Amino acid sequence: MNNNAEDVSNQQLIEAQWYRLSPLSICFFVFKFSRQLFKDALPALVPLFAVVVSGNSSTSVLSIAGALLVILIGLFAILQYWFFKYSIQGERILVHEGVLKKYRHNIHCERIQNINVLQPFYFKFFKLVILNLDTAGSAASEISLPGINQIRANNIQRIVFNNSQSLRQNIQNHLDDIPSTPHTNNEVHVEITALNEGENSQQANPQLSNRQLLVKTRLIHLVQYGLTSNNIFWFFAAITPLLNSIDDLLEKYLGKENINQLVGLLGGGYTGGILLISITILGIVFGAICFSILGAIIKYYQYELSLNTPTLKRKSGLLTQHEESVNLSKFQAIIRQCNWVGVLLQRQNLTLKQVSLYSSRKSAAQQLFVVPSLNFLQVDKISHIVFDNFSFSVKLTPVSRRYILSAWLKLMILPHIILIIVSLRVEASYMLNIIPAIFLGCFLIAYGRWRKAQYAINDEFIVVQSGLLGFRQIGFPLFKVQHVTIQQSIFQKRHNLASVFIRLASNKIVIPFIPLKVAQECYDRISFQIETTTKRWF
């Protein structure tokens, strides 16, 4: 396909023309089919590999099997490319694909939730991208267009968002020509008003009038994000299987004599052993920090967040460039996080929560719309853009002190059960002597959680805070709430307290141990917003 065909206008795309992918999309299908094949067939291939290796002619058999597998994958990728074609017809995107089983995708622009643009390393030189269109309610990305020109990807993005807005406007214009009756058209009128309210409120905001760059991170910001995020825990999760055999690994790779020499250099005896263990632990922690920083750089390198009303767009990536565009109305809540390192550095991370009713189709990392390493002014600016008139700078109210007792009891149950079982099995009753220390430690943790457990409720928004050393705040408009309940335990009922459970389309929030009167007021405010609002929740 020539360059003129790639650089088509919106009008040409809307006409019923069918397009093919670039031949380089075969690389994408090779990687995709290989990954899926080894993921599904690996449990069966391992014993088969063991049987083949144990035979006399293992080398020749493996060579033939490997060659056949490469030919099979290459043939499938070529056929997948050959049968793949797509078209944009009016307000719908059509894709025909499949080799043995044919698939016909027909997606209305209004149903598209996210538009993701990825550029793997093997596409960068040719200026090709992978365009993924995600819809609410799908079990996977409904449409994936690998190996299309960057210009065409941008054209498709404009068509999707323009059709979403023009569709609502056309429906509204059509309704204006119909004589309204109180009972027949009232329901339709409310629905169309709900569709347009989000856009009207955004147009009233002068900050959203033009395209603007909101955030552009530097390398130092990514280092700060690596320190202030929770990616360090992924490193410890990855090395956990090795911790049980760390002594054997050190002895195997360093040698017993070398270990004794290191202990001797550090003073010998118990002192040298303790110092060696301490240095090893510090090395593991340093490795975890480097792992987190490196992951942040690879994922968020050259991060940019821009606004083109009503769309928020982010772009980042070192090896594979990711580009995602989301309509502002799709966001359900904003999470502001800051651990103890972030408190010292005065940097915070934002996560914009989207609908996750079908979140099992992706990993959490793929779904999150993260804005890394922000200062306080940037947090307020982005929060105000996502939700009009919203800010985390509100006065928070602490929950009841009786929350400490509830959290303390929950924390003590599991460690005490484990401690009692271990002490009985190894006949080491002296281990029960550390129970007072566990009591004190659990109480301090429960007290710290209570200090961070705060909330704020007004007529439009709710902010809920939790944490221990740092904090985690989540804010959302009342009209985004899908379901709200008030629960009272026997202990809470005696003290006129209650907990409010709020369900959004993105996640669940709990406001624990607040006065029953406040819980009822919160319930009434949310119910009033749900019944009377004309704003779009999605």
Side-chain angles (χ1 to χ4, degrees):
M1 187 175 296
N2 56 32
N3 294 333
N4 293 333
E6 290 290 346
D7 191 11
V8 291
S9 63
N10 292 352
Q11 183 61 33
Q12 289 174 314
L13 278 173
I14 293 176
E15 295 176 358
Q17 299 182 27
W18 289 90
Y19 299 92
R20 289 193 176 277
L21 305 174
S22 168
L24 291 172
S25 62
I26 296 175
C27 298
F28 169 82
F29 292 120
V30 166
F31 282 108
K32 178 181 178 182
F33 184 63
S34 301
R35 182 172 60 250
Q36 191 66 34
L37 178 65
F38 285 105
K39 178 182 177 182
D40 296 338
L42 187 60
L45 291 176
V46 171
L48 180 61
F49 178 80
V51 172
V52 172
V53 171
S54 61
N56 296 327
S57 58
S58 60
T59 303
S60 60
V61 173
L62 287 176
S63 300
I64 295 174
L68 290 176
L69 185 60
V70 171
I71 293 174
L72 177 63
I73 293 175
L75 180 61
F76 178 84
I78 293 172
L79 292 176
Q80 187 75 5
Y81 155 74
W82 183 259
F83 288 108
F84 195 107
K85 59 181 180 178
Y86 65 97
S87 174
I88 297 183
Q89 300 182 7
E91 298 157 355
R92 296 184 178 274
I93 300 177
L94 288 75
V95 172
H96 292 180
E97 62 173 328
V99 179
L100 300 178
K101 184 184 291 186
K102 303 295 182 181
Y103 294 93
R104 300 291 184 265
H105 301 285
N106 188 342
I107 303 299
H108 198 289
C109 293
E110 180 68 17
R111 292 185 57 222
I112 294 176
Q113 178 182 353
N114 293 347
I115 301 179
N116 304 321
V117 180
L118 286 76
Q119 191 176 51
F121 64 92
Y122 51 87
F123 278 170
K124 281 188 177 181
F125 181 76
F126 304 97
K127 297 183 180 180
L128 301 175
V129 298
I130 303 171
L131 182 67
N132 293 325
L133 306 177
D134 292 341
T135 62
S138 62
S141 292
E142 285 283 356
I143 293 180
S144 181
L145 305 178
I148 67 173
N149 187 275
Q150 178 71 61
I151 298 175
R152 173 159 297 179
N154 294 335
N155 287 338
I156 294 176
Q157 289 186 71
R158 287 199 299 269
I159 289 173
V160 170
F161 288 115
N162 290 341
N163 280 338
S164 297
Q165 299 175 41
S166 62
L167 176 64
R168 302 187 196 108
Q169 186 61 44
N170 291 338
I171 296 176
Q172 182 63 59
N173 294 337
H174 177 69
L175 290 176
D176 291 341
D177 297 335
I178 302 176
S180 61
T181 57
H183 300 285
T184 304
N185 292 336
N186 183 58
E187 183 178 352
V188 178
H189 177 71
V190 171
E191 180 181 355
I192 300 304
T193 304
L195 290 174
N196 291 326
E197 179 65 26
E199 295 175 359
N200 293 337
S201 61
Q202 292 159 0
Q203 292 172 358
N205 190 341
Q207 292 182 346
L208 307 183
S209 57
N210 298 315
R211 179 181 178 87
Q212 55 179 312
L213 181 65
L214 302 177
V215 175
K216 185 173 183 179
T217 60
R218 295 181 297 170
L219 189 60
I220 184 62
H221 297 147
L222 299 182
V223 173
Q224 293 172 342
Y225 175 74
L227 295 173
T228 58
S229 67
N230 295 324
N231 293 334
I232 292 177
F233 296 106
W234 290 105
F235 177 84
F236 287 112
I239 67 170
T240 297
L242 302 177
L243 295 179
N244 295 329
S245 57
I246 189 170
D247 294 337
D248 297 333
L249 292 174
L250 290 175
E251 186 173 344
K252 179 179 179 180
Y253 291 101
L254 293 180
K256 191 172 182 179
E257 295 182 359
N258 293 330
I259 294 177
N260 292 334
Q261 291 179 0
L262 290 175
V263 172
L265 291 175
L266 295 173
Y270 289 107
T271 303
I274 293 174
L275 287 176
L276 181 60
I277 294 174
S278 301
I279 292 174
T280 303
I281 293 175
L282 290 176
I284 294 174
V285 172
F286 179 76
I289 295 174
C290 294
F291 173 84
S292 180
I293 294 174
L294 182 62
I297 294 174
I298 292 175
K299 187 171 184 179
Y300 297 111
Y301 182 72
Q302 292 184 342
Y303 184 97
E304 290 185 2
L305 180 70
S306 58
L307 175 69
N308 187 9
T309 309
T311 305
L312 204 60
K313 178 180 178 180
R314 66 168 179 171
K315 182 171 64 174
S316 64
L318 180 61
L319 301 178
T320 299
Q321 188 177 77
H322 297 261
E323 184 177 308
E324 182 177 6
S325 300
V326 183
N327 193 297
L328 289 174
S329 64
K330 309 297 184 183
F331 295 117
Q332 305 297 306
I334 305 177
I335 297 178
R336 180 172 73 155
Q337 290 179 293
C338 183
N339 62 11
W340 65 273
V341 180
V343 174
L344 296 177
L345 299 177
Q346 296 185 352
R347 307 298 293 188
Q348 305 170 22
N349 304 315
L350 279 188
T351 302
L352 309 182
K353 299 289 289 185
Q354 306 175 56
V355 175
S356 61
L357 297 175
Y358 302 89
S359 60
S360 60
R361 73 181 188 267
K362 295 180 179 179
S363 67
Q366 288 175 310
Q367 286 186 307
L368 297 180
F369 196 105
V370 177
V371 188
S373 191
L374 303 174
N375 56 38
F376 296 101
L377 295 178
Q378 290 174 316
V379 168
D380 281 342
K381 181 178 180 179
I382 296 174
S383 301
H384 183 72
I385 288 175
V386 176
F387 300 136
D388 288 341
N389 302 321
F390 173 74
S391 174
F392 282 103
S393 301
V394 293
K395 184 179 180 180
L396 298 175
T397 303
V399 302
S400 171
R401 288 179 177 269
R402 290 179 170 83
Y403 173 76
I404 301 175
L405 179 60
S406 175
W408 183 39
L409 294 175
K410 290 178 182 178
L411 287 170
M412 287 195 303
I413 290 175
L414 183 60
H416 279 77
I417 292 176
I418 295 175
L419 186 63
I420 292 173
I421 293 175
V422 171
S423 62
L424 292 177
R425 292 191 64 179
V426 301
E427 297 181 358
S429 57
Y430 66 88
M431 295 183 64
L432 299 177
N433 296 330
I434 66 174
I435 287 182
I438 296 178
F439 265 74
L440 179 60
C442 291
F443 176 79
L444 293 177
I445 294 175
Y447 179 79
R449 288 184 175 178
W450 168 76
R451 289 288 303 270
K452 297 294 183 179
Q454 302 180 31
Y455 64 96
I457 304 172
N458 57 36
D459 293 333
E460 296 185 74
F461 302 100
I462 291 179
V463 176
V464 181
Q465 178 179 279
S466 59
L468 183 59
L469 299 178
F471 65 85
R472 179 182 186 270
Q473 293 180 344
I474 180 169
F476 54 93
L478 300 185
F479 72 88
K480 297 279 187 177
V481 176
Q482 304 296 307
H483 186 258
V484 57
T485 57
I486 298 176
Q487 294 186 12
Q488 268 190 312
S489 64
I490 298 175
F491 175 72
Q492 288 176 326
K493 195 171 185 179
R494 289 179 55 189
H495 300 283
N496 206 28
L497 299 172
S499 296
V500 179
F501 291 79
I502 300 172
R503 178 68 190 181
L504 302 177
S506 57
N507 58 317
K508 183 188 294 184
I509 300 100
V510 180
I511 310 178
F513 284 79
I514 63 176
L516 179 60
K517 182 179 179 181
V518 176
Q520 291 173 340
E521 291 177 355
C522 176
Y523 181 90
D524 292 339
R525 288 181 176 180
I526 293 175
S527 300
F528 177 78
Q529 283 283 349
I530 293 175
E531 294 174 1
T532 61
T533 188
T534 57
K535 298 180 180 179
R536 296 183 63 201
W537 70 269
F538 176 73

